[in-house]
């Protein structure tokens, strides 16, 4: 095993997963101007969904994906109607309290239903590794990466070229004018929220075979997603992708050279440094944080 | 005034006794406006008179406290904006307000989003492109890279894509060169003459506005204080008082 290729491979595999988590968050922020503090809890729920489907029904996590994508879309739609719609035109404070409240609710529901014990989803192929050149790939990580990239690319293509994607971008850029075009912006917000939750739902299922599941499991990942979103420039989807890979690189290289315990310190230092130097994020433009590009 | 003598059903759009407030701050008191089919009507008044507020209330962006808005015989006050456009009213907001990071073509495409317009989108696009050749030339450019005059044209074109029976334009001439003012003025006339669409527009320059419009409505401090045919208003001492009072010093 050679060091440099291995670091590159690990960075890319990790970055792909972080990107999928961050993309849902930045989509919701870009269109709705809402920071979803419950994003990590939807991730946690998806990890549990994969875990229980595997444990009770012996469903392979990648098979679960076919069920969990529509399921999490529905979960997203319903949670928008019930929780977010009443505050969509309210102050940012009201929205923050709402999503933080939702996060606490979901964490505690998971605690009651599933206990605080960490659960492990161990597939037969958990230990399978692939070798290419000097690098070793864990199979589960590789599959997760490939699916995460496919999902992210589809989302980008959808936003860029589909008619509905154009409506979502238009609503992000000027909701008032969008409504004058006949666009029901309330429906677009529901759709955006549901698509964002679907992304993080997919990420959760992909993470389940790799990481332990417990009620606060979402927090560690979503912290990274928040950093990626801000580093990339609020609402800038491509920026969030690049930032996710940068964070993964800092984590992988930092863990290798200094020690695993330091990884959070390192990327948070990077985060603070970027905020000091470029408050709008690496790729952000002041005032242009709408989902434009 | 002559407008008052028309039977009520002679109007395509009729706004009566409109009160509008932002929170506790009332800005329109008993505002009036009416438009006949195929007419060009100017809405005039000094800054802060409430012209934009009146237009926004017609299109459903604001909700009135009291009064009525009737369009083609149907009460539309209280309808949300995304439904008003389906009734046949297109509204081009102050400062053009194109979707800045969408292309010109996509801006125009979304203009036809309402169900009434979507079915005949391609046909409408060809007609609108005939009026605005610039749409074809600039179709792949991002809207925010156009000049002010070009943006105004795209904004009006986007409004026409909705297949409106009435087009409302808030300050179409703001910040444009005299040549561009002429060009937009000519386009507004052609929209009425060739497409039969009625037009209401807001403009602060009395001579420019009444030179283009058939009739004018003048708002001052939230009230409709005067209306009538352009020729009548141009000669009126009252109009001189209001507008010279604002601009003489
Ligand atoms: N969103 C708002 N919230 C509170 N007050 C508002 C709002 N919009 C407008 N106003 C107030 O309502 C009054 C009328 O504003 P409006 O924009 O309708 O005037 P206007 O005639 O279009 O002026 P201008 O010629 O400057 O565009 C003003 O006093 C303005 O300050
Ligand atoms: Mg105005």
């Amino acid at each position: 095993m050679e060091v440099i290729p291995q670091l590159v491979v690990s960075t890319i595999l990790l970055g792909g997963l972080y990107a999928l988590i961050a993309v849902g968050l930045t989509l919701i922020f870009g269109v709705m101007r809402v920071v979803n503090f419950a994003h990590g809890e939807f991730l946690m729920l998806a990890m549990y969904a994969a875990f229980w489907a595997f444990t009770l029904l012996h469903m392979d996590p990648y098979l679960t994906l076919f069920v969990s994508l529509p399921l999490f879309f529905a979960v997203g739609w319903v949670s928008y109607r019930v929780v977010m719609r009443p505050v969509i035109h309210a102050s940012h404070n009201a929205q923050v309290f709402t999503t933080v409240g939702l996060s606490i609710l979901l964490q505690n529901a998971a605690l009651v239903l599933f206990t605080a014990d960490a659960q492990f989803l161990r597939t037969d192929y958990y230990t399978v590794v692939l070798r290419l050149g000097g690098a070793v790939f864990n199979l589960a990580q590789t599959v997760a990466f490939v699916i995460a990239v496919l999902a992210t690319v589809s989302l980008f293509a959808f936003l860029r070229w589909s008619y509905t994607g154009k409506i979502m971008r238009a609503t992000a850029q000027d909701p008032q004018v969008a409504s004058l075009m006949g666009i029901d912006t309330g429906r677009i917000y529901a759709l955006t929220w549901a698509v964002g939750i679907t992304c993080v739902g997919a990420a959760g299922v992909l993470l389940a075979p790799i990481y332990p599941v417990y009620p606060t499991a979402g927090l560690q990942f979503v912290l990274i997603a928040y950093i990626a979103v801000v580093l990339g420039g609020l609402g800038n989807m491509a920026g969030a992708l690049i930032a996710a890979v940068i964070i993964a690189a800092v984590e992988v290289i930092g863990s290798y050279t200094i020690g695993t315990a330091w990884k959070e310190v390192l990327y948070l230092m990077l985060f603070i440094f970027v905020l000091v130097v470029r408050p709008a994020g690496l790729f952000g433009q002041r005032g242009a944080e709408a989902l434009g590009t | 005034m002559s407008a008052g003598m028309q039977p009520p059903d002679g109007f395509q759009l009729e706004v009566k006794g409109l009160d509008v407030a932002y929170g506790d701050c009332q800005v329109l008191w008993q505002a009036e406006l009416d438009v006949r089919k195929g007419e060009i009507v100017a809405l005039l008044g000094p800054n802060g008179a409430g012209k934009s507020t009146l237009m926004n209330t017609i299109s459903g962006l604001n909700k009135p406290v009291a009064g009525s808005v009737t369009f083609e015989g149907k009460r539309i006050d209280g309808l949300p904006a995304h439904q008003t456009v389906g009734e046949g009213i297109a509204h081009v907001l102050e400062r053009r307000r194109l979707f800045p990071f969408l292309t010109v073509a996509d801006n125009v495409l979304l203009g036809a989003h309402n169900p009434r317009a979507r079915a005949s989108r391609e046909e409408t696009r060809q007609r609108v492109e005939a009026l605005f050749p610039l749409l074809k030339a600039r179709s792949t450019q991002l809207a925010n890279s156009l000049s002010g005059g070009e943006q105004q044209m795209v904004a009006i074109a986007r409004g026409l894509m909705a297949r409106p029976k009435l087009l409302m334009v808030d300050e179409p001439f703001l910040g444009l060169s005299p040549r561009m003012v002429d060009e937009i003025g000519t386009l507004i006339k052609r929209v009425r003459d060739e497409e039969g669409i009625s037009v209401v527009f807001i403009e602060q320059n009395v001579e420019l506005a009444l030179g283009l419009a058939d009739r004018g409505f003048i708002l001052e401090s939230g009230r409709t204080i005067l209306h009538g045919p352009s020729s009548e208003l141009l000669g009126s001492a009252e109009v001189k008082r209001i507008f010279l009072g604002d601009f003489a010093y």
Side-chain angles (χ1 to χ4, degrees):
Chain A
M1 188 181 101
E2 287 163 47
V3 172
I4 303 287
Q6 187 62 48
L7 290 183
V8 171
V9 163
S10 302
T11 295
I12 291 174
L13 292 184
L14 198 60
L17 275 178
Y18 289 174
L20 183 57
I21 305 171
V23 142
L25 195 64
T26 201
L27 174 73
I28 288 173
F29 180 82
V31 176
M32 304 168 67
R33 288 288 171 287
V34 170
V35 180
N36 179 15
F37 286 103
H39 209 62
E41 279 54 54
F42 287 104
L43 183 81
M44 172 272 291
L45 288 181
M47 291 175 81
Y48 270 114
F51 170 77
W52 289 115
F54 181 76
T55 310
L56 300 178
L57 308 171
H58 310 292
M59 263 172 77
D60 185 273
Y62 304 114
L63 210 61
T64 306
L65 216 46
F66 288 98
V67 186
S68 77
L69 287 184
L71 178 70
F72 272 78
F73 186 88
V75 166
W77 192 280
V78 171
S79 62
Y80 176 83
R81 300 292 288 212
V82 175
V83 182
M84 293 313 297
R85 191 166 65 163
V87 294
I88 192 68
H89 296 298
S91 69
H92 283 299
N93 281 347
Q95 294 170 343
V96 169
F97 281 121
T98 305
T99 61
V100 169
L102 180 62
S103 146
I104 295 171
L105 176 86
L106 293 176
Q107 268 179 34
N108 285 282
L111 194 60
V112 171
L113 292 172
F114 311 134
T115 77
D117 297 340
Q119 313 276 8
F120 296 87
L121 190 169
R122 286 282 172 269
T123 52
D124 314 334
Y125 46 83
Y126 173 67
T127 50
V128 173
V129 292
L130 314 167
R131 282 168 203 286
L132 183 75
V136 181
F137 305 69
N138 173 287
L139 180 66
Q141 270 191 339
T142 310
V143 174
F145 170 78
V146 170
I147 297 176
V149 169
L150 281 178
T152 310
V153 169
S154 324
L155 180 65
F156 268 74
F158 166 74
L159 285 171
R160 183 150 187 84
W161 288 296
S162 78
Y163 184 73
T164 308
K166 286 174 186 175
I167 293 177
M168 283 166 81
R169 283 189 289 148
T171 304
Q173 289 169 26
D174 197 331
Q176 203 175 37
V177 174
S179 73
L180 287 176
M181 307 287 105
I183 295 166
D184 182 349
T185 52
R187 280 182 69 85
I188 295 303
Y189 291 147
L191 177 68
T192 304
W193 183 267
V195 170
I197 301 302
T198 307
C199 288
V200 78
V205 174
L206 295 173
L207 286 172
I210 311 172
Y211 295 93
V213 191
Y214 46 94
T216 52
L219 292 179
Q220 51 169 328
F221 296 107
V222 89
L223 173 66
I224 291 162
Y226 291 131
I227 296 174
V229 168
V230 177
L231 272 191
L234 286 173
N236 182 332
M237 306 241 325
L241 282 189
I242 298 169
V245 176
I246 292 175
I247 295 166
V250 170
E251 176 173 337
V252 167
I253 296 167
S255 300
Y256 176 75
T257 53
I258 309 180
T260 315
W262 285 86
K263 67 183 188 192
E264 274 102 355
V265 176
L266 291 174
Y267 60 67
L268 282 168
M269 271 168 50
L270 170 77
F271 178 57
I272 293 167
F273 174 75
V274 171
L275 279 191
V276 169
V277 181
R278 277 188 65 96
L282 290 175
F283 312 100
Q285 279 173 291
R286 211 166 258 285
E289 68 266 29
L291 231 173
T293 40
Chain B
M1 292 277 141
S2 59
M5 282 160 357
Q6 291 290 323
D9 57 351
F11 295 118
Q12 181 182 42
L13 174 76
E14 192 168 30
V15 177
K16 272 184 172 166
L18 206 67
D19 289 357
V20 179
Y22 294 104
D24 289 337
C25 174
Q26 185 164 349
V27 298
L28 288 186
W29 281 270
Q30 299 289 305
E32 311 275 330
L33 177 72
D34 42 58
V35 183
R36 293 191 194 85
K37 215 170 167 49
E39 240 184 352
I40 299 181
V41 170
L43 185 52
L44 290 139
N47 288 108
K51 307 179 295 295
S52 300
T53 302
L54 176 54
M55 219 175 235
N56 292 354
T57 309
I58 295 168
S59 65
L61 291 174
N62 292 335
K63 301 275 163 277
V65 178
S68 67
V69 180
T70 311
F71 184 68
E72 305 216 315
K74 184 177 166 189
R75 283 282 293 266
I76 59 162
D77 44 275
L79 267 193
H82 71 268
Q83 289 176 11
T84 310
V85 60
E87 297 293 327
I89 301 181
H91 182 184
V92 179
L93 289 173
E94 211 167 351
R95 312 194 166 275
R96 312 48 159 135
R97 297 274 287 271
L98 296 177
F99 299 117
F101 304 109
L102 293 188
T103 61
V104 169
D106 285 344
N107 266 280
V108 170
L109 177 83
L110 293 188
H113 180 77
N114 78 80
R116 217 168 53 86
R118 213 180 311 172
S120 51
R121 191 166 70 198
E122 275 317 302
E123 188 217 321
T124 318
R125 197 217 306 271
Q126 280 166 17
R127 278 163 64 170
V128 172
E129 273 175 0
L131 276 171
F132 299 85
L134 146 120
L135 295 182
K136 260 195 164 139
R138 302 305 185 86
S139 66
T140 59
Q141 210 170 319
L142 286 188
N144 68 359
S145 65
L146 298 178
S147 78
E150 291 165 344
Q151 289 192 20
Q152 187 65 62
M153 290 199 187
V154 176
I156 294 176
R158 184 176 66 178
L160 292 175
M161 287 298 292
R163 286 259 167 175
K165 299 169 197 163
L166 170 71
L167 175 70
M168 304 196 295
V169 196
D170 195 339
E171 306 219 28
F173 306 114
L174 191 70
L176 302 186
S177 69
R179 227 195 79 217
M180 199 45 105
V181 168
D182 275 356
E183 212 167 312
I184 302 265
T186 310
L187 277 164
I188 288 179
K189 274 219 171 76
R190 286 182 62 192
V191 164
R192 191 266 307 269
D193 297 343
E194 294 172 24
E195 304 286 324
I197 297 170
S198 331
V199 179
V200 183
F201 69 98
I202 294 176
E203 171 53 42
Q204 310 230 10
N205 179 331
V206 187
E207 316 224 308
L208 171 61
L210 296 177
L212 178 61
D214 304 313
R215 283 192 305 138
F217 278 74
I218 298 175
L219 270 183
E220 196 184 26
S221 311
R223 296 166 207 273
T224 306
I225 53 160
L226 208 61
H227 61 112
S230 298
S231 50
E232 221 168 90
L233 291 178
L234 272 170
S236 133
E238 181 75 354
V239 171
K240 290 208 177 71
R241 175 196 69 77
I242 297 161
F243 288 94
L244 289 181
D246 261 86
F247 297 118
Y249 308 106

